[in-house]
Amino acid sequence: MSHTLSRLHRIIILLKTLLLGRWIRNNNIVFVFSAHCTLSGNGKYAVMAIRRKFPQKRIVWSVMDDKQRQNFEHHNIQTVLHNSLAYIKVLSRAKYIISDCNFVGSFATHGAIQIDFWHGVPVKKIRYDAIPIKQGIAHTAKRTLIWLNRKNFIQSGGSQYDADFLAKTARLPKGMAHPLGSPCIAPLVDTDILHDEIQHNRPIGQLYTENKRYEKIYLYAPTFRDDGSDFLSQLHFDIKKLESVCTQKNIRFLIKKHPWCPLRIPCPSDRIKILSSTYDATLCMAISDVIITDYSSVYYNAIVSNKDIILMHGDIQHYKNTIRDIYTAQLKYMQGHIINDFNDLYDIMQHDTPIQPVPNTTVTQYWSSENVQNPHRFLKMIT
């Protein structure tokens, strides 16, 4: 019975939002929905920027379970459980809705200003292209309501290229995509924000202190594999060999695992450390010397940092054929020091091989100087 009432309550709220959305919105409420419901990425740094400029705003973040609330309580951010009644209520009243993964709220977007940062430059085929979508009533209604609210809906990207690409991929109407900066690159381009994070973010501060004992810090940040394959073995990952090279050269090797890609590696010492979702990927890049990735969009954030970047593309055919396809046009812009597997990496580490820099044309292709200098351009949408 309570479930029926709950459902009825949701329908009433959604209908009320649809009919009265422009009048019930509260200008002081900012609602945030992020890809992994963690305090990181564009959502986190967007909220930090909003708080600095508009301290009176009430920030509400959607989480999947009670365990995820702990991080947010430390930062004095209110949380609601995804799809709960509290979630529906705050979504129906929030004047500003920030997302980094998809359009949220269906009917509840009416009357709100929705800023949708994708959580990374799309390199792999995303949901709209990878999975055929049935054009059902709910999907059609959602797209219709986004169209009705198009003046207040902003699809943002780090560059105009990103914004247009995402709008086209998601089949949005023209004029809804604008380059409003990418808040998550802030720690990579603003030393004050980075130092503040090192001082107040306990996991990162501790990691930063530990890193001082080593000559050089390598960060390996692979993307997810939908099929759960043992891609490390395919890339000739050898924990004993890695430990030997790290010991010999006094290197620390950090592995930032993707939230969708569990890695079970027995680390023999503190020289090799697996970083959970507690550690913000951007901050991990900011306190490392060399960044290694594959087909992850962290590459496009890393290139603004002027750090050494290595791309490990040895399993590209397997990835394209059995996991998900890759946008070829995007991949050709992933330039720099490309290697096949960990054997190539061990050789670089052991012999201090110079790392080929990312061409400057690649950087300017995606990041205008305005967006790098001001990653919080989205603030002009908030009053």
Side-chain angles (χ1 to χ4, degrees), residues 42-75:
N42 279 320
K44 172 183 177 179
Y45 292 102
V47 164
M48 288 174 62
I50 291 170
R51 275 196 159 168
R52 283 194 297 270
K53 188 171 182 179
F54 305 100
Q56 78 280 9
K57 299 292 185 190
R58 174 188 167 201
I59 311 294
V60 184
W61 201 297
S62 170
V63 296
M64 288 297 182
D65 53 53
D66 288 327
K67 188 177 178 182
Q68 291 180 328
R69 293 183 188 270
Q70 300 172 4
N71 246 355
F72 297 91
E73 290 171 356
H74 178 70
H75 291 270

Side-chain angles (χ1 to χ4, degrees), residues 299-300 302-311 330-338 355-367:
Y299 166 82
Y300 294 96
I303 60 177
V304 305
S305 68
N306 294 318
K307 293 179 182 290
D308 288 335
I309 301 172
I310 297 174
L311 294 167
Q330 291 286 84
L331 190 64
K332 72 179 181 181
Y333 290 110
M334 294 187 79
Q335 299 182 21
H337 200 109
I338 300 176
I355 296 172
Q356 181 182 343
V358 175
N360 190 54
T361 51
T362 299
V363 180
T364 56
Q365 169 74 25
Y366 287 94
W367 298 105

